[in-house]
Amino acid sequence: MKRPTISDLAREAGVSVSTVNRILSGATNVKASTAQHIQRTAEKIGFYGLGSIEDQIKKNAPHYRLGFLLQQSTRELYQHFGREITKACRGRQFDTADPLIDFVDLLTPENISQRLLALGRNCDAVALIAADHPQIGQTVRALSEMGKPVVAYITDQSAPERAAFVGTDNWKLGRTAAFLISQMTNHTGRIGVFQGNPRYQCQDVAEASFRSYIREHAPHLSVDECRSTNEEPNRAHEMVRDLLKSTDEIVGIFMVGGGISGVLRALREVPLERRRGVKLICRDIGPETRKGLSEGLITAALCHPMEHTSEVLVQTMINAVANDGPRSTVHHTVPFEIITPENI
């Protein structure tokens, strides 16, 4: 069979022969979308110069420096986020994205704002996981005025100057957690709800929707006032331990924020029969969560699919940089995964 020629490629792609030749010669005056279309066509027809086309596209590809402000370097969950973000940046085919990842351990608004501003000054765009606070909003505004897009990641920000949000539908997540607990509990009882900080929009929305579902579909259950763990496992341990000691009515726990290792420690301290009667739903998955699932202590973890979420985040940031004019905030909702002891 005769191998495809440049003329064959040009005809199949609907471009001129000179356009294909310009790409092969390394010319920079071919639109990226056109070059990518020719590359896909070359792959489709088995064009012999596919490798040269891919090399030239990569050589002429735009270059981005992307900053990511994550939390708590000691938590494996955020380390996992960082690894997946790096992987998403390194795996891009038609542009170069260099990730600059910073972890914030002191979660005060002042410290987060300072670190966010420093990161933004050295990057084309930044992604942020942080509680919603006016001081952080001011920094988002300042970076926007500098032409540095800020993308809220996992939990949204109220600052209107943010470029985008990438995360799950937290209203659906909270109602799903309530559905799971209520379907497994036929008798009356109480549910404890724990969040890291009420300023995390993702946690506050999930808690509100959790209550909404219980009111609507499970009137035999009551939901306690939400308690804040400040994302600290030791605090979570003390709060859950004291709750379980104070009453035998607890049939469910919704852990919407950080500190799951402390919750698991408190459950391990009660008799086996007692903890079997407590349905625990948590968010996102790390080593402690996997261990809790394998032990049967956790009923389900509602998680971001980290690989896909990271790819969407990186693409969203690059799109924000490439957009020259003003635009409304973009929302990219990534469906969450439900992990149970049976599919972990």
Side-chain angles (χ1 to χ4, degrees), residues 288-299:
E288 285 291 335
T289 306
R290 289 184 179 278
K291 184 178 180 182
L293 284 162
S294 67
E295 294 177 53
L297 294 174
I298 298 175
T299 303

Side-chain angles (χ1 to χ4, degrees), residues 169-191:
D169 184 327
N170 292 290
W171 183 263
K172 289 183 178 180
L173 186 146
R175 289 181 67 87
T176 299
F179 167 82
L180 291 171
I181 291 179
S182 65
Q183 290 296 306
M184 299 177 186
T185 309
N186 297 320
H187 54 85
T188 60
R190 290 166 50 190
I191 302 173

Side-chain angles (χ1 to χ4, degrees), residues 81-94:
F81 278 145
R83 290 191 294 270
E84 288 297 333
I85 287 169
T86 300
K87 179 181 174 183
C89 287
R90 300 296 187 221
R92 294 189 64 82
Q93 187 174 3
F94 299 114

Side-chain angles (χ1 to χ4, degrees), residues 28-38 40 57 60-62 94:
T28 60
N29 59 343
V30 179
K31 289 184 179 179
S33 58
T34 301
Q36 291 168 20
H37 170 64
I38 293 173
R40 289 191 294 268
I57 288 176
N60 296 326
F94 299 114

Side-chain angles (χ1 to χ4, degrees), residues 297-319:
L297 294 174
I298 298 175
T299 303
L302 310 182
C303 310
H304 288 84
M306 291 195 184
E307 181 176 355
H308 179 54
T309 305
S310 299
E311 291 171 352
V312 172
L313 174 64
V314 172
Q315 184 62 58
T316 300
M317 295 171 73
I318 289 174
N319 290 346

